[in-house]
Each structure stands twice: as structure tokens, then as C-alpha cells.
Amino acid sequence: QVHLVQSGGGLVQAGGSLRLSCAASERTFSRYYMAWFRRAPGKEREFVARITSSGGTTGYTDSVKGRFTISRDNAVNTVYLQMNSLKPEDTAVYFCAARLPTDQDFRYWSQGTQVTVSS
């Protein structure tokens, strides 16, 4: 069982930046693929960014490419999402998630944190 605890988030003006952190309880954190998802008001949850266990490969949804950066520090069992040039449409509850490379789906989820971007 992996327990994920988020920090960061909050209210920011359009064009601003925020960094989300997600700390894992699992001492084998470095084995897990990690990702960030978000759910905007009235919308389905959507994928935002992902990173492989070593951090060597990342991927992003088109709407955040060039603005968001996912990274991880396996020494402290933490994954990050740096969000720059934020837009009102980035307003959502953000979640981090974990899965092993052999899992089809993300099995472990954080509690979620609100990010609100004002225009």
C-alpha cells in the first residue's frame, strides 16, 4: 500500500506559478511510475503529466506542454509538478497517482489539492 500526501496548491493570478509536491510513504518509491491528474469543475478527471520510475521519461497533455514540468526526487520519495504561466482553465483539483510498471492502471491516489487561477 502506497500512501500519497500532497502539498502546495492554492490561489494564484493568471500568469503566475505554483509547485505541487506529492510525498510517498513507500520506501520502494523509485519502482513506481508517477503521474498528475486533475479534475476541473463539471468535467471528468484528466491526465496532466507522467514520469517513469527513474525520471528518465516524461509525458504531458498538450494543454500544459511548455508550461508544466514533472520531476521526482527518489531520495526523498517525492514527485513534483512545477506549473508556470498558469491560466484560468488550469483551475482544478489536482491529484498525484502511482503505479508499478506492471500495473495497467494507477492504483494509488493522493487526497487532491485545489488550484485556482484567477483572471
Side-chain angles (χ1 to χ4, degrees):
Q1 185 76 14
V2 180
H3 186 52
L4 301 173
V5 178
Q6 270 182 256
S7 59
L11 174 65
V12 65
Q13 286 190 327
S17 298
L18 283 174
R19 188 175 82 156
L20 304 181
S21 300
C22 177
S25 61
E26 177 58 49
R27 61 184 176 86
T28 60
F29 172 76
S30 62
R31 295 173 56 197
Y32 287 81
Y33 284 7
M34 300 297 297
W36 290 94
F37 291 79
R38 65 186 180 187
R39 183 186 294 122
K43 295 188 177 181
E44 297 290 318
R45 185 177 64 199
E46 68 167 345
F47 162 78
V48 175
R50 60 175 173 80
I51 189 166
T52 52
S53 51
S54 67
T57 301
T58 59
Y60 300 90
T61 192
D62 286 346
S63 63
V64 308
K65 284 181 181 176
R67 300 188 298 121
F68 289 13
T69 302
I70 187 172
S71 62
R72 65 191 296 161
D73 185 343
N74 288 341
V76 293
N77 295 353
T78 302
V79 63
Y80 305 97
L81 185 67
Q82 178 66 43
M83 305 183 291
N84 298 330
S85 302
L86 282 160
K87 303 176 181 180
E89 50 264 44
D90 294 317
T91 294
V93 177
Y94 284 72
F95 303 85
C96 66
R99 70 174 179 89
L100 289 169
T102 50
D103 292 334
Q104 268 201 318
D105 299 315
F106 284 89
R107 298 177 60 189
Y108 306 104
W109 294 84
S110 65
Q111 78 279 19
T113 190
Q114 178 70 45
V115 171
T116 302
V117 185
S118 63
S119 56

